[in-house]
């Protein structure tokens, strides 16, 4: 038995079963792969108070940049980037991305990551927290638009926020890494088995049979997959067990969709993924030597 379903009726490959076990281990660690010492709603790494609504990091003080004139970068002023984590993860997932961007002309006020209050947040709570977080980033930086980079559950969270709050005019670019934009077989089975709490509470939202169910929340979200005056990009992996039997789920009609040979986490953390994210967000090759700068000490 696994998740209440007899395994003889659930022919999952070993990689997917391993992914399920890793999800449970992450939950026991409070949703941080790195063993983070910060509570999920800790706002000490942000230049504003969240009153316990969410946590995260960002800004010159956190990154150790001086807050003066911007370093030479891909543009006169870089569009701030907001990183959005996935299920049972947190802002620590994006530390390597911050270093990669800092070395290429971005300042601390250009780089932000949210930690949702719950390890497995609902799409409604993600939308509410993102709306406050991105609004604060815009107020703090004076930027009219941001770029948003999401991974896994964070991808549909970003899309749901944009749709329900009509914030397309706040966003210049959306990058979705391994997002279940068209649901997954795993979530269908979890929903059918009644797994709607804890790490699997989003299973009903991310069922893979959305096109056959009128009441499916993804059905409305996918009526127009890339709305607004926004540039959309997706990255998915050939070895991602989450998308067993639904390998094209992360792709969006109207987006630039790219496939790399990697797994679910590799689509976020690999060097190839970092390079794609930077190129799409900065509209600049990551190895333009004119843009290389020393990272903060």
């Amino acid at each position: 038995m696994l998740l209440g379903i007899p395994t003889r009726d659930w022919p999952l490959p070993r990689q997917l079963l391993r992914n399920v076990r890793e999800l449970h281990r992450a939950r026991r660690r409070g949703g941080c792969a790195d063993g983070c010492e910060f509570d999920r709603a800790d706002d000490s790494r942000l230049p504003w108070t969240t009153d316990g609504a969410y946590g995260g990091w960002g800004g010159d003080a956190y990154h150790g940049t001086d807050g003066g004139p911007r370093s030479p970068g891909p543009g006169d002023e870089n569009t701030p980037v907001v990183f959005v984590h996935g299920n049972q993860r947190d802002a620590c997932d994006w530390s390597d991305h911050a270093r990669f961007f800092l070395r290429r002309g971005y300042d601390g006020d250009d780089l932000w990551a949210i930690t949702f209050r719950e390890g497995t947040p609902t799409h409604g709570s993600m939308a509410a927290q993102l709306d406050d977080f991105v609004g604060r980033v815009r107020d703090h930086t004076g930027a009219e638009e941001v770029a948003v980079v999401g991974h896994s559950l964070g991808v549909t969270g970003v899309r749901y926020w944009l749709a329900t709050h009509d914030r397309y005019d706040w966003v210049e670019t959306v990058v979705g890494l391994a997002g279940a934009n068209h649901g997954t077989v795993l979530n269908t089975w979890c929903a059918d088995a009644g797994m709607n709490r804890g790490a699997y509470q989003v299973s009903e939202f991310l069922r893979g049979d959305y096109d056959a169910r009128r009441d499916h929340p993804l059905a409305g979200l996918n009526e127009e997959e890339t709305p607004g005056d926004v540039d959309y990009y997706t990255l998915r992996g050939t070895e991602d067990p989450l998308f067993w039997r639904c390998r094209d789920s992360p792709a969006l009609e109207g987006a630039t969709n790219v496939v790399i040979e990697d797994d679910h986490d590799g689509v976020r953390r690999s060097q190839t993924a970092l390079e794609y994210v930077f190129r799409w967000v900065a509209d600049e090759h990551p190895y333009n030597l004119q843009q290389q700068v020393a990272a903060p000490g």
Side-chain angles (χ1 to χ4, degrees):
M1 298 283 289
L2 183 65
L3 303 178
I5 301 175
T7 52
R8 66 177 180 275
D9 299 326
W10 200 10
L12 290 177
R14 290 182 179 179
Q15 303 146 296
L16 190 47
L17 297 179
R18 190 180 307 120
N19 196 64
V20 170
R21 289 192 290 268
E22 289 174 356
L23 192 60
H24 281 289
R25 283 197 293 269
R27 187 183 181 192
R28 289 194 294 270
R29 292 193 300 265
C32 181
D34 299 333
C36 182
E37 71 228 43
F38 297 94
D39 292 337
R40 298 197 66 85
D42 189 311
D43 59 13
S44 62
R45 297 171 291 171
L46 292 168
W48 61 79
T49 300
T50 72
D51 294 322
Y54 55 80
W57 52 249
D60 285 317
Y62 172 72
H63 291 291
T65 49
D66 61 15
R70 292 178 183 268
S71 305
D76 294 334
E77 286 196 7
N78 300 317
T79 300
V81 187
V82 173
F83 296 102
V84 183
H85 67 82
N87 193 8
Q88 290 298 321
R89 306 303 283 259
D90 69 358
C92 291
D93 272 0
W94 306 104
S95 299
D96 288 344
H97 293 72
R99 286 188 286 269
F100 194 85
F101 275 71
L102 286 168
R103 293 190 178 104
R104 288 161 177 81
Y106 279 68
D107 291 327
D109 273 357
D110 299 325
L111 300 168
W112 307 84
I114 189 172
T115 295
F116 294 117
R117 181 176 176 82
E118 302 297 331
T120 303
T122 65
H123 282 76
S125 64
M126 281 190 283
Q129 292 168 47
L130 274 171
D131 202 58
D132 188 82
F133 189 85
V134 176
R136 301 273 192 150
V137 169
R138 293 173 74 244
D139 289 343
H140 182 82
T141 62
E144 292 186 3
E145 295 181 313
V146 302
V148 185
V149 180
H151 176 241
S152 194
L153 180 62
V155 178
T156 51
V158 168
R159 294 182 62 213
Y160 188 77
W161 161 63
L162 287 170
T164 56
H165 287 72
D166 191 20
R167 297 302 194 192
Y168 299 105
D169 59 338
W170 282 16
V171 176
E172 178 180 275
T173 303
V174 169
V175 177
L177 309 174
N181 290 313
H182 299 90
T184 74
V185 173
L186 173 62
N187 279 294
T188 301
W189 281 335
C190 288
D192 287 344
M195 300 298 294
N196 55 9
R197 294 186 298 275
Y200 297 97
Q201 70 174 342
V202 296
S203 58
E204 192 68 41
F205 195 106
L206 297 178
R207 295 178 64 105
D209 55 355
Y210 78 94
D211 54 349
R213 297 167 59 97
R214 291 184 179 180
D215 60 342
H216 195 304
L218 275 180
L221 200 59
N222 287 339
E223 286 180 0
E224 184 178 0
E225 298 190 4
T226 51
D229 187 18
V230 179
D231 294 325
Y232 290 87
Y233 302 87
T234 76
L235 192 65
R236 64 192 190 275
T238 58
E239 312 304 316
D240 190 337
L242 182 64
F243 299 112
W244 178 63
R245 293 188 176 176
C246 53
R247 61 193 180 103
D248 294 331
S249 178
L252 290 171
E253 184 177 354
T256 297
N257 300 297
V258 174
V259 185
I260 61 174
E261 293 185 13
D262 222 315
D263 60 16
H264 193 67
D265 272 344
V267 169
R268 170 183 55 82
R269 69 187 179 191
S270 72
Q271 188 71 17
T272 300
L274 284 166
E275 292 164 0
Y276 270 115
V277 169
F278 184 87
R279 185 181 305 170
W280 289 335
V281 167
D283 195 25
E284 180 77 29
H285 195 283
Y287 301 115
N288 182 344
L289 295 181
Q290 291 181 332
Q291 312 300 350
Q292 304 297 306
V293 296

